Every structure is written in C-alpha cells, then in structure tokens.
Amino acid sequence: MKEKEILWTGRTAEKPNEKAFAFQASIRIDKRLVQDDIRGTRVHTAMLARQGIIPQDTAVVLDAELLRIAEELSNGELTVDESAEDIHSFVETELTRRLGDAGRMVHAGRSRNDQVALDFKLHLKHTVTELCEEIKALMSALLDKAEEYVDALMPGYTHLQKAQPVTLGFHLTAWVCALERDLSRFHDTLFRMDECPLGSGALAGSGLPLDREKTAVNLGFRAPTLNAMDSVADRDFAVELAADAAICQTHLSRFCEDIILWASAEFGFLNLSERWSTGSSIMPQKKNPDFAELVRGKTGRVVGNLVALFTILKGIPYAYDKDLQEDKEALFDSLDTISDCLQIFRGMITASSFNRERMEAACIDGFSEATDAADYLVRKGLPFRNAHEIAAHIVRDCINDGQSCIGERTLEELRTRSLLFEADIFAMLTPRACMNARRTPGGTALDEVRRQIAVLRERIHSTGTA
Ligand code: ARG
C-alpha cells in the first residue's frame, strides 16, 4: 500500500514500519466484508446526493463505479489488495484510483467506526440467515430419521445406566428440540441487532444533514440506532452470536458423544457409514468415528471465541477502540466452524444405519421396567413410595435368582411382595408396553412422538417467516 493510499496519513509525519503496519491491518480478516462495504457505500452516497451534500451527477458516476467494482470482484476481474489496511480503505482507494476527486467524496458524514459496525452487521444478517437454513436442514434430516425409527426400541439412559425404554425416534426428537431453541436464539439475536449504525460517525453523529432513517430502510434495517456513541461501541450482537454458536456447537458435541458411544462395539447400536469413518494407521481392524470426535473437539475453539470476545470487551472505554477489530476474527471463526460442523454432522447421521435388534435387546437386562411395575401398584391405589420399595425388592429378588427382568418371575413370586399383582402385570412389563404406556405430553408413546415430530416440522417451517 502506497502512503497516499492510507486514509489517515495527513496527521502523522512518520509512518509505522512495514511489520507494524501489517500488525494493525485487518484486511486479511475483513476482506470478506467487501460486498457489504460496497453496498453500504452506495446507499450512503445516494443519500449524500439527495441531501445536497455531494452533487447529484457525481453520485450517479460513483454509484456506477461502485457497482462495477462489485461485479469485477464477483467475476474475479478484480481482487482485494491485501496490502491495504482494511476493506474500507481498499474500496475507497479503488474508487479514488478510478474516479479521482469524486472517490474522495464518499466518506462525508461517516467514519470507519460506524462503517465497520454497519458492514459487520450487514454481513452477519445474511450469513446468519444462511446458518439458520443449515440448522433447519439438520433438524429435518434428524426428524426424517426419527420417523424412520419411531418404533425402534432402545434403552434411555441416566447416569449412563439403563433407565427406561424409549425409542430412537424419541431420542432423536430430543436432539431436534435443542436445535429448535438454537434456531430461535439466532433469530432473536438477528432481531435485536437489526438497527443501522451508519451516520453515527466516529462516535458523536454528524453536523451534516444526513438522512439516517432513509439509509437504514434502504439497507434493509428496521430503524437507525438511537445513540451514536452506543452504535460504534456496541458489540453485543457479536457476543450474542458467539454465544448462540457456542450453545449450538455444544449441542452437536453432546450428540456426537452419543454417536461415539453407540458406534462402539460395546453398544453396537449404530453402524457408521464407511464414508463417515476413518481407519487406523496401525490397527487394521479399526473403523473410527473421527468425524463425530472432531465435531466434539471443535467445541473448544467455539467456546474459546466467546471467551475471547468477552475478554476483548470487558476493559475498553467508550466509544471505539482498536481492540474491537479483534471481534471479527473470533466471530467469523465460530460461525465458519459451526457451519462446517452442521453440514458434516448432517451428512454423517443421514448415512448412518441403526441396529434395531441390538437396541431392543439392550432394553431387556437392566430392569428398566421397574418404574412401570411401581406405576402398576399406584394405579391400584398404593402410595408411590411404597410401590417404589416393593418394585425395588422385586429387582433384588430377580438379581438373587439370576433373572434379568421382572417378567421372568412367576405371579406367585410377585404376589409374595404385593397381593395387588394380577396376571395382567406381565403384558405391561415388556419394553414396548412400557414405552407405549407413557402417553403424557412429552412422553415416549408412538403417537405422542409422532405429534412431537409434527410440531417440530411446523416450527422449522414457520421460524423466520414471521
Ligand atoms: N479495521 C477496523 C475494525 O475492524 C475498522 C475501524 C477502524 N477505525 C479506527 N478508528 N481505526 O475495527
């Protein structure tokens, strides 16, 4: 970058050396904002002309050239000059190189402080919307699987111990509920950040007669921001999005943990497709769940980026400080990572098949029907605490007699513990009967899970369309 192309050379007689200049430059990170920067500059320039701040005919020429630059960048005729300080300098310098003095008019009434806040928000508005589509695609893929395996019995776990029989459809639906909250969190953040900072200048607004309302509307925002100082100091939207990403990534990480367990020989519930597994360089027999492990591992950087943003912000005085430049690298990394992970996870789960027989067989030992035995006695009028104790004693009886489920006992044996037991108890103790008995909203019964799936499908459809 030539000295005259640096936007602020007037003030300082001496310049940073090359290494120091590169240290404070941000082009490597903010070059992805180029189309957003051009879009903001076009709307700003048109407003300057409407307000009589720059000549109308100059604005026409500027707009045509900005459009040309945008097109040349898209088709590869022009590339971003990485020796520029930042993307704002690049666009203004390129315009001035082509148009001379006209290019020098576009920065009236704005500063790079409101400009970068604008570009960042514009960029996030479309990239986060795309990310929401990724989340929706994963939700749909998981709901397809949930439907396919809606009646596939498997143990539900607490403390990683078999707890109560559920279905794979129910388990996958639980994951989708978490993703649905992620989706709504991103949408909430998009709503809150939908205010346009342009026209806030360096921190205090402008003495020029800018039309901030019109600028905001023309850039697709709900309204202009209220206070100029807040507009250039605020990075809440970056923190919120980083938090939204960290929560979503943490969900993916937990799903991956389930997958890794299920794919182990010990569980044997899930057969990862060979395309979504890797081998070992030494052990010829290995088929490893590397993709799931790596999605889990990437959670480290996504949570780290959130902590980085908080740390950057916590000590900086109002309004703008250069520390804020560090915001984009952290957030872009989080959003890039989660976008990759959502796609990888979807590919992996779509290609997976589950072993119904293994999952159902795993429901048998572990006495996961014990709660249902207690519920049977409650239905016959016994207080739950007493019923719980009786069922626990029966489990102990089974263990002492080497039996693997309550259904292996005879009616006479059960009646030694409670005379309320009758022959109908046995049909109620199979894993399928236990699963289907839980008809409460949120429960495991087939029709109830089908209802949950339908509700989630409707939410995927309606989120973001309001
Ligand atoms: N590259 C800067 C950033 O990302 C742009 C704003 C620069 N403003 C300034 N006063 N130096 O934050």
Side-chain angles (χ1 to χ4, degrees), residues 26 30 86 88 112-113 116 235 320 322 324-325 328:
S26 55
D30 60 29
D86 58 26
H88 328 295
R112 280 185 297 163
N113 298 353
V116 74
R235 289 297 182 275
Y320 177 87
K322 186 83 163 187
L324 290 177
Q325 180 167 288
K328 285 174 281 310

Side-chain angles (χ1 to χ4, degrees), residues 56-128:
Q56 192 62 247
D57 51 348
T58 309
V60 172
V61 174
L62 281 167
D63 194 63
E65 203 56 47
L66 282 163
L67 190 59
R68 195 166 302 129
I69 292 174
E71 279 166 6
E72 288 177 19
L73 285 161
S74 308
N75 66 26
E77 271 175 65
L78 178 67
T79 47
V80 171
D81 173 6
E82 297 213 17
S83 71
E85 182 182 350
D86 58 26
I87 199 61
H88 328 295
S89 314
F90 167 75
V91 173
E92 191 180 323
T93 304
E94 185 62 25
L95 202 55
T96 305
R97 198 178 60 72
R98 296 176 181 212
L99 299 180
D101 272 349
R104 296 192 182 89
M105 290 186 173
V106 299
H107 209 54
R110 74 175 185 188
S111 145
R112 280 185 297 163
N113 298 353
D114 56 345
Q115 193 179 355
V116 74
L118 171 74
D119 293 4
F120 200 12
K121 281 187 170 185
L122 281 176
H123 187 76
L124 293 169
K125 278 173 63 150
H126 60 85
T127 49
V128 172

